[in-house]
């Protein structure tokens, strides 16, 4: 269950806090709706609960705050806004990446895809999904780690009636298995139909915390819906009789031949119509704010907004207001109209829901372990009923089916994961993140092309040393194209995630883990080394094809030049990774790479002016004399090469910059953990 105590957002400038002292509970086995108009503070409450926004108060998820849970995604599944992810990533690739981040088996991605009905769209890009399919993918991401609690922010906004019913059915199935569901809604009738408990917010404060039956009785205004070809005459007669009997009855003319009568009953209106010989086509109790067209059947044809080819930017364009609301009548008494059938009682429906969810609630509260999944609890579904089918018989609902359940796909089976984190999990995640989109491959291809063209132009101009020619490094540029490409790929390793958070969908941002940083540095280093080898190889091959073998000779001091070249690219890639992780921006990561030769190198040259050669000369001999060691396999030569690389201006500047960036990253990590 969820327990929120005193949630209060930080006050804004000259304005009261958006949320002020909000406390409530969401029990296991129930669907709890946080109801409020836009601007009432619903989203702020969720962000405070999930520790995404600073404020006062605290929230317990089954007795523990979120920052005390080792694996939050396995306890809380979250859907806030659009599904976070790169638009070019495929649906299946995105879920497989999240599997590696959460430490769950990769087959889990296929299981949840089948559950939410996205198997046929698993190879589609995220940017091409319609709004309805995006909601399904968001629910799949929330269910991926088999969480006990689901927290969703207005999940049915802009959805068609059919998609909204499907989503509410999935949430009902999750609650029926003992899970906790908390969602925000803005439509009172939607909350009355689908929730077990409704918490009403107004201006950041709770004005009501009620069971759905009490909510429907007190917070919603009941009325009688009447349809008659003689509506004006019937309205006048009802108003006249109310004045004669001194009763408070309000008659409202709706569109067409429809009346909404407040303060009366079906029996009184029917008797009045019978006495005066007025034909009545409909006579039914409704919730007062359901609006015109209540009870109208919705088409079962596929909605245009749910077509796979529709993009997110086009979602909702073809949806009508009737599709968005799709109201259904909530009946207080099983009255029958001349051309209508009996409708189940709302009170009986809610009582059946409470009877079904009570055992799951008590079991979940008594045992803090994850909820059990059995074959019996997965069959809580009714067969689909088309819009043309007659209303069901008002007999009591059997205990094996929830009265509000729809034809649902069973939830995915439970998973078994190790509690201890695996050291390979961040590496698997980073590999799937880097290879799941074509940005890295396109960047590497562009770098190779630019480097080859630059090498040919430098050879044509002349006066370029052999080493710089193979690296395509003009003297006028601070860095060669390959180093800039390596820095850009390193900056994308973190910066791209902050634009499209994917690693921690439950927390809304990428956490600062040293294991994740190590995986990113390792992948960035391998990528930089591969780029360094390919750049030199492509430049040499192009120079050989254009100018012959003369310009492709291997320099005599190739070991030290190779070490310097690889160290430069690896250092640029690491600088991009660390700077993007600190400043949460790809631009900042690339700026840090450019700052090394432009700003840091001149400073290092001033400090080390004239001392580099004397520092490196005789270094292996002095080191061997100091440590009384004999280096095997000529190890002093490698140390000498490393020393020469480090004492070069660019090498020393890179080393200094990487040290500063690493210290800053560790400092921000410790500060975030302390908070």
């Amino acid at each position: 269950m969820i327990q929120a105590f005193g949630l209060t957002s930080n006050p804004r400038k000259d304005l009261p806090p958006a949320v002020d002292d909000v406390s409530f509970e969401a029990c296991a086995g129930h669907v709890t709706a946080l109801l409020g108009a836009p601007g009432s503070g619903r989203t702020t409450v969720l962000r405070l609960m999930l520790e995404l926004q600073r404020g006062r108060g605290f929230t317990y998820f089954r007795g523990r705050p979120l920052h005390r849970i080792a694996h939050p995604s396995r306890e809380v599944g979250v859907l806030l806004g659009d599904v976070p992810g790169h638009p070019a990533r495929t649906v299946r690739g995105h879920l497989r990446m999240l599997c590696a981040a959460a430490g769950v088996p990769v087959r889990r991605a296929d299981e949840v895809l089948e559950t939410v009905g996205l198997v046929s769209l698993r190879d589609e890009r995220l940017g091409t999904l319609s709004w309805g399919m995006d909601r399904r993918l968001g629910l799949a991401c929330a269910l991926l780690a088999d969480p006990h609690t689901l927290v969703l922010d207005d999940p049915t906004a802009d959805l068609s009636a059919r998609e909204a019913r499907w989503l509410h059915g999935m949430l009902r199935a999750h609650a029926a298995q003992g899970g906790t569901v908390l969602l925000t809604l803005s439509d009172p009738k939607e909350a009355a139909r689908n929730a077990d408990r409704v918490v009403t917010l107004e201006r950041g404060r709770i004005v009501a915390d009620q069971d759905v039956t009490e909510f429907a009785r007190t917070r919603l205004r009941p009325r009688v819906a009447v349809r008659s070809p003689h509506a004006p005459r019937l309205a006048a007669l009802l108003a006249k009789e109310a004045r004669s009997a001194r009763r408070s009855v309000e008659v409202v003319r709706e569109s067409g031949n429809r009346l909404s009568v407040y303060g009366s009953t079906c029996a009184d209106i029917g008797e009045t119509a019978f006495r005066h010989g007025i034909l009545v086509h409909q006579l039914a109790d409704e919730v007062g704010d359901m609006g015109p067209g209540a009870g109208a059947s919705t088409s079962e044809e596929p909605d245009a907004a749910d077509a796979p080819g529709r993009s997110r930017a086009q979602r909702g364009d073809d949806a009508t207001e009737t599709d968005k609301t799709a109201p259904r009548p909530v009946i207080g008494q099983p009255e029958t109209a001349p051309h209508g059938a009996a409708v189940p009682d709302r009170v009986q429906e809610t009582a059946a829901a409470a009877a079904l969810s009570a055992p799951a609630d008590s079991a979940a509260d008594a045992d803090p372990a994850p909820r059990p999944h059995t074959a019996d609890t997965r069959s809580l579904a009714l067969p689909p009923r088309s819009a043309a089918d007659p209303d069901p018989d008002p007999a009591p609902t059997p205990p094996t089916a929830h009265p509000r359940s729809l034809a649902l796909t069973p939830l995915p089976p439970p998973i078994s994961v190790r509690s201890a984190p695996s050291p390979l999990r961040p590496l698997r995640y980073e590999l799937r993140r880097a290879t799941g989109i074509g940005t890295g491959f396109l960047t590497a291809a562009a770098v190779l092309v630019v480097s080859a063209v630059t090498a040919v132009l430098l050879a044509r101009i002349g006066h370029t040393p052999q080493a710089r020619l193979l690296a395509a490094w003009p003297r006028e540029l601070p860095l060669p194209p390959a180093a800039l490409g390596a820095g850009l790929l390193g900056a994308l390793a973190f910066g791209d995630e902050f634009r499209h958070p994917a690693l921690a969908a439950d927390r809304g941002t990428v956490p600062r883990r040293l294991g994740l940083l190590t995986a990113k540095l390792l992948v960035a280093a391998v990528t930089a080394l591969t780029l360094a080898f390919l750049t030199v190889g492509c430049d040499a091959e192009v120079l050989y094809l254009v100018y012959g073998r003369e310009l492709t000779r291997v320099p005599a001091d190739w070991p030290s030049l190779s070490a310097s070249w690889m160290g430069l690219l690896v250092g640029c890639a690491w600088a991009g990774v660390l700077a993007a992780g600190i400043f949460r921006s790809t631009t900042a990561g690339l700026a840090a790479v450019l700052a090394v030769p432009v700003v840091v190198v001149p400073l290092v040259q001033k400090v080390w002016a004239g001392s580099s050669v004397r520092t490196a000369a005789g270094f292996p001999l002095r080191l061997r004399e100091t440590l009384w060691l004999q280096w095997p396999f000529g190890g002093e030569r490698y140390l000498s090469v490393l020393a020469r690389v480090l004492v070069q201006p660019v090498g020393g500047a890179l080393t200094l910059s990487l040290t500063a960036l690493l210290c800053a990253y560790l400092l921000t990590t410790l500060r975030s953990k302390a908070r």
Side-chain angles (χ1 to χ4, degrees):
M1 64 184 302
I2 302 175
Q3 297 172 301
F5 301 97
L7 297 179
T8 305
S9 61
N10 290 336
R12 298 160 292 179
K13 183 179 180 180
D14 299 331
L15 293 174
V19 173
D20 188 8
D21 194 21
V22 172
S23 302
F24 65 93
E25 290 186 359
C27 298
H30 290 73
V31 177
T32 303
L34 200 59
L35 179 66
S40 60
R42 300 170 301 160
T43 303
T44 304
V45 169
L46 297 189
R47 294 182 62 84
L48 289 171
M49 293 173 56
L50 299 172
E51 302 177 5
L52 301 178
Q53 182 173 331
R54 294 185 180 181
R56 298 187 299 275
F58 50 92
T59 304
Y60 288 152
F61 296 89
R62 290 203 292 177
R64 294 176 296 172
L66 195 62
H67 63 272
R68 295 292 185 184
I69 301 175
H71 302 285
S73 61
R74 301 177 190 174
E75 177 64 32
V76 184
V78 177
L79 177 58
L80 303 177
D82 290 349
V83 175
H86 197 285
R89 201 179 302 277
T90 63
V91 171
R92 188 168 185 261
H94 181 73
L95 290 176
R96 287 169 66 92
M97 180 184 65
L98 293 181
C99 286
V104 301
V106 69
R107 65 178 182 274
R108 181 71 174 177
D110 296 324
E111 294 175 355
V112 295
L113 281 177
E114 183 177 358
T115 298
V116 300
L118 290 180
V119 176
S120 60
L121 302 179
R122 60 184 179 182
D123 294 326
E124 294 289 330
R125 306 290 179 180
L126 297 187
T128 63
L129 296 179
S130 67
W131 182 239
M133 298 301 104
D134 184 89
R135 296 294 86 190
R136 288 175 179 256
L137 179 59
L139 186 60
C141 295
L143 293 172
L144 194 64
D146 193 27
H148 176 271
T149 302
L150 292 180
V151 177
L152 308 96
D153 185 18
D154 208 359
T156 59
D158 297 330
L159 286 183
S160 65
R162 178 170 56 86
E163 286 288 348
R165 289 197 302 271
W166 174 87
L167 193 145
H168 282 300
M170 290 293 296
L171 300 182
R172 174 60 57 187
H174 183 83
Q177 294 184 8
T180 304
V181 178
L182 174 65
L183 73 160
T184 64
L185 295 173
S186 58
D187 190 358
K189 61 181 176 293
E190 185 178 6
R193 285 197 304 263
N194 300 288
D196 298 312
R197 191 163 192 85
V198 182
V199 180
T200 307
L201 281 176
E202 286 185 9
R203 298 182 180 180
R205 289 179 174 271
I206 291 181
V207 296
D209 186 352
Q210 302 165 302
D211 182 82
V212 68
T213 307
E214 184 71 11
F215 170 79
R217 186 180 65 84
T218 60
R219 303 291 297 181
L220 298 181
R221 190 180 179 189
R223 70 181 178 188
V224 178
V226 183
R227 290 186 185 274
S228 172
H230 309 287
R233 180 186 172 197
L234 180 60
L237 290 173
L238 292 175
K240 180 179 178 180
E241 291 187 357
R243 287 193 298 269
S244 301
R246 295 184 178 181
R247 291 188 294 114
S248 177
V249 176
E250 180 183 359
V251 182
V252 179
R253 285 287 306 275
E254 306 287 358
S255 60
N257 58 355
R258 188 177 189 276
L259 298 176
S260 295
V261 183
Y262 299 91
S264 185
T265 63
C266 290
D268 293 340
I269 298 173
E271 290 176 1
T272 301
F274 178 78
R275 286 197 306 268
H276 296 84
I278 297 177
L279 177 65
V280 176
H281 290 166
Q282 181 191 14
L283 191 63
D285 290 327
E286 287 183 353
V287 172
D289 66 343
M290 297 190 69
S297 301
T298 57
S299 175
E300 293 298 326
E301 298 178 358
D303 297 280
D306 299 330
R310 296 290 298 275
S311 63
R312 295 186 188 184
Q314 297 172 326
R315 63 180 177 259
D317 293 344
D318 300 332
T320 62
E321 190 66 26
T322 303
D323 291 334
K324 293 179 182 178
T325 57
R328 292 184 298 170
V330 179
I331 308 302
Q333 299 293 334
E335 302 285 348
T336 58
H339 298 282
V343 185
D345 191 334
R346 172 65 184 175
V347 178
Q348 297 176 358
E349 178 181 331
T350 307
L356 280 175
S357 58
D361 185 14
S362 59
D365 292 342
D367 186 8
R371 66 188 185 281
H373 296 265
T374 61
D376 294 336
T377 58
R378 296 186 183 281
S379 61
L380 300 178
L382 292 177
R385 182 171 63 91
S386 64
D389 291 341
D391 292 332
D393 188 82
T397 304
T400 57
H402 195 280
R404 280 175 290 184
S405 297
L406 302 172
L408 305 177
T409 303
L411 291 178
I415 55 176
S416 299
V417 294
R418 291 177 294 178
S419 58
S422 170
L424 294 179
R425 186 181 63 219
L427 184 59
R428 290 199 301 266
Y429 162 77
E430 181 61 20
L431 288 174
R432 289 171 182 165
R433 185 207 62 79
T435 58
I437 56 178
T439 304
F441 301 103
L442 294 177
T443 302
V447 166
L448 294 179
V449 172
V450 173
S451 182
V453 173
T454 305
V456 172
L457 294 178
L458 290 177
R460 182 178 180 83
I461 296 173
H463 310 292
T464 302
Q466 179 73 11
R468 281 183 170 264
L469 189 62
L470 291 176
W473 190 353
R475 294 182 182 275
E476 295 78 14
L477 296 181
L479 288 174
L484 292 175
L488 177 59
L489 291 177
L492 288 175
F494 259 131
D496 182 65
E497 286 176 332
F498 291 124
R499 290 199 308 272
H500 312 286
L503 177 60
D506 52 341
R507 302 300 297 275
T509 184
V510 179
R512 301 182 183 275
R513 297 186 201 163
L514 295 183
L516 176 64
L517 175 64
T518 304
K520 288 184 177 295
L521 293 178
L522 179 59
V523 173
V526 173
T527 304
L529 292 176
T530 304
L531 189 61
F533 176 78
L534 292 177
T535 300
V536 174
C538 291
D539 292 349
E541 186 67 22
V542 172
L543 290 174
Y544 172 75
L545 292 175
V546 177
Y547 298 105
R549 192 178 300 275
E550 181 181 358
L551 296 179
T552 59
R553 291 194 300 266
V554 178
D557 56 343
W558 67 268
S560 60
L561 292 176
S562 300
S564 300
W565 175 242
M566 292 185 293
L568 174 65
L569 264 67
V570 172
C572 289
W574 284 0
V577 171
L578 292 172
I582 294 171
F583 300 106
R584 299 175 179 266
S585 170
T586 303
T587 305
L590 190 58
V593 175
L594 292 173
V596 173
V598 176
V599 178
V600 184
V601 169
L603 296 177
V604 173
Q605 286 179 334
K606 290 182 180 180
V607 175
W608 287 1
S611 61
S612 299
V613 177
R614 290 193 298 272
T615 302
F619 175 76
L621 180 61
R622 294 196 300 271
L623 185 61
R624 183 170 63 249
E625 292 175 353
T626 302
L627 300 179
W628 298 88
L629 293 175
Q630 292 292 331
W631 295 94
F633 308 107
E636 63 273 6
R637 291 182 299 175
Y638 301 103
L639 286 177
S640 178
V641 170
L642 178 62
R644 290 193 184 97
V645 172
L646 293 179
V647 299
Q648 290 176 0
V650 177
L654 266 178
T655 304
L656 182 62
S657 301
L658 290 177
T659 303
L661 288 174
L662 182 60
C663 293
Y665 187 91
L666 294 177
L667 178 62
T668 54
T669 302
L670 293 176
R671 288 182 60 188
S672 63
K673 289 184 177 180
R675 289 175 183 172

